[in-house]
Amino acid sequence: EAGVVQSPRYKIIEKKQPVAFWCNPISGHNTLYWYRQNLGQGPELLIRYENEEAVDDSQLPKDRFSAERLKGVDSTLKIQPAELGDSAVYLCASSLYGTGVTYEQYFGPGTRLTVT
Amino acid sequence: QQQVKQSPQSLIVQKGGISIINCAYENTAFDYFPWYQQFPGKGPALLIAIRPDVSEKKEGRFTISFNKSAKQFSLHIMDSQPGDSATYFCAASGAAGNKLTFGGGTRVLVKP
């Protein structure tokens, strides 16, 4: 079974430029997460989707970040414009959420963003 | 507010030794406590998890000890191997397990 797929794996952009990250979750997983992991720190949740609905976006900097999960499968996270402080690894994770199931989150390899 | 505090930040252990990582949490609503292992350039991978209805869970060389009254839990890696060299993160969430709060991570180096 394929894991969580993310692309690109690496991205280098200049500040003020836009950037987008793509995530394909594990087949059948109805919940999708975007995390940001700064160097030497643990991941921090940016947004969580249950199917197509963003149920928790309280940590998403909405002035420059946006996300979508059309059709409840793939998701895209966008930053516009990027700032130097956005340099980090952006992780996507997915899980199956429902009554009577375990809720392990499976992470993709991440996209390492460098803003110069 | 850092709701999950992890220590130490790094540790070095000899092959065959025991690695111990500790975490403390503040939110009494947390009731799912996973540990993740992360290698450089990879995403975190679930290692082992515990719920507060048990005080200990063992899977192979990895054991979680849980102290609900102290709001602390720890990971023990027995017979540490060089392949265990990685960064380990504790995390915690509410009952649904769908909003993980991570600790700061511990970089473990196992010397041969």
Side-chain angles (χ1 to χ4, degrees):
Chain A
E1 178 181 290
V4 176
V5 179
Q6 291 188 246
S7 69
R9 292 295 316 277
Y10 306 91
K11 189 74 176 179
I12 301 174
I13 62 172
E14 293 183 347
K15 62 181 181 182
K16 301 184 180 180
Q17 295 301 305
V19 64
F21 315 122
W22 176 81
C23 173
N24 180 247
I26 292 174
S27 177
H29 280 191
N30 53 4
T31 304
L32 183 145
Y33 314 75
W34 283 103
Y35 289 85
R36 177 168 58 189
Q37 185 174 25
N38 292 314
L39 187 64
Q41 298 182 23
E44 296 179 320
L45 181 68
L46 291 173
I47 188 168
R48 173 170 63 94
Y49 283 92
E50 288 180 11
N51 299 305
E52 302 90 353
E53 183 181 2
V55 295
D56 185 353
D57 63 357
S58 57
Q59 300 302 309
L60 189 72
K62 298 180 184 61
D63 57 335
R64 298 184 300 107
F65 286 65
S66 64
E68 61 182 11
R69 191 185 184 199
L70 301 178
K71 301 182 181 179
V73 182
D74 295 3
S75 177
T76 301
L77 177 69
K78 298 178 181 178
I79 308 175
Q80 183 172 9
E83 298 178 352
L84 294 176
D86 295 331
S87 294
V89 175
Y90 290 84
L91 294 163
C92 179
S94 70
S95 69
L96 184 61
Y97 174 68
T99 303
V101 298
T102 53
Y103 308 121
E104 291 91 349
Q105 294 186 26
Y106 297 88
F107 284 81
T111 296
R112 180 176 296 278
L113 173 67
T114 302
V115 182
T116 63
Chain B
Q1 179 185 9
Q2 184 182 8
Q3 296 189 49
V4 180
K5 295 183 178 180
Q6 184 171 345
S7 64
Q9 287 186 311
S10 64
L11 68 91
I12 300 173
V13 62
Q14 293 296 127
K15 178 182 176 181
I18 302 174
S19 304
I20 301 175
I21 306 170
N22 301 299
C23 284
Y25 63 97
E26 300 169 3
N27 189 341
T28 55
F30 287 154
D31 75 345
Y32 172 66
F33 303 91
W35 285 88
Y36 283 82
Q37 178 188 56
Q38 187 175 30
F39 294 104
K42 305 291 186 182
L46 180 66
L47 196 59
I48 186 173
I50 196 169
R51 294 190 183 273
D53 52 344
V54 297
S55 61
E56 186 174 282
K57 183 175 181 180
K58 183 178 181 180
E59 290 185 0
R61 296 184 293 107
F62 301 92
T63 299
I64 299 179
S65 297
F66 185 82
N67 186 328
K68 187 174 182 178
S69 61
K71 293 188 287 185
Q72 295 176 348
F73 57 110
S74 61
L75 176 70
H76 294 228
I77 307 174
M78 312 300 287
D79 187 27
S80 297
Q81 300 297 311
D84 297 332
S85 297
T87 300
Y88 293 81
F89 293 96
C90 62
S93 75
N98 54 14
K99 185 171 183 176
L100 289 174
T101 299
F102 284 82
T106 297
R107 182 175 291 184
V108 174
L109 176 62
V110 181
K111 288 193 168 182

